[in-house]
Amino acid sequence: MLQSELHTMPELQDIVRDRATDKVNDALANRFARLALAGKLRLEDPAVAAEQFGALLTAPLETRSQLGTRTLSAAELDEVTQNAVATFLRAFGPSTDSEGTPRKDRR
């Protein structure tokens, strides 16, 4: 609905970003920074990592729900979430496991 109204009310994008998107990204960036300090993630910019994680979640959800016009099942939501987390960890996860062994899935 938001996308369909942006041409008539472009200020809606700013409202959504200010009230929701920025807050979620800031919270994720904060958590990702703490995980990086603990050695659980490898990243240079937590804000970029948060933005990319959000994109990994929202893009498939928008596509599968046909921009919010179709309700997704719990199984679909779980699948999208698991795929997003797996992809994110391949990019930003630690290069070794908890015992210091190099991960085989690193490219």
Side-chain angles (χ1 to χ4, degrees):
M1 189 164 83
L2 173 66
Q3 292 177 340
S4 67
E5 295 300 325
L6 283 178
H7 71 284
T8 59
M9 295 183 288
E11 68 277 3
L12 285 176
Q13 184 70 40
D14 294 332
I15 292 168
V16 170
R17 187 184 63 244
D18 293 344
R19 293 188 184 171
T21 307
D22 286 350
K23 289 180 181 182
V24 170
N25 282 347
D26 290 347
L28 278 173
N30 184 288
R31 183 65 180 147
F32 289 165
R34 287 184 281 156
L35 288 168
L37 287 173
K40 304 291 183 183
L41 294 177
R42 295 175 304 108
L43 48 89
E44 293 180 22
D45 188 337
V48 170
E51 182 179 61
Q52 291 177 344
F53 183 68
L56 289 169
L57 284 169
T58 57
L61 292 174
E62 289 175 354
T63 301
R64 289 182 185 210
S65 71
Q66 298 173 355
L67 297 176
T69 61
R70 184 176 85 72
T71 302
L72 300 179
S73 68
E76 285 178 290
L77 294 173
D78 287 345
E79 180 185 2
V80 168
T81 302
Q82 289 175 13
N83 289 338
V85 170
T87 300
F88 182 84
L89 289 176
R90 279 194 297 279
F92 296 108
S95 56
T96 59
D97 64 19
S98 61
E99 297 174 4
T101 305
R103 293 197 185 273
K104 295 178 183 174
D105 61 345
R106 288 277 162 241
R107 294 174 201 193

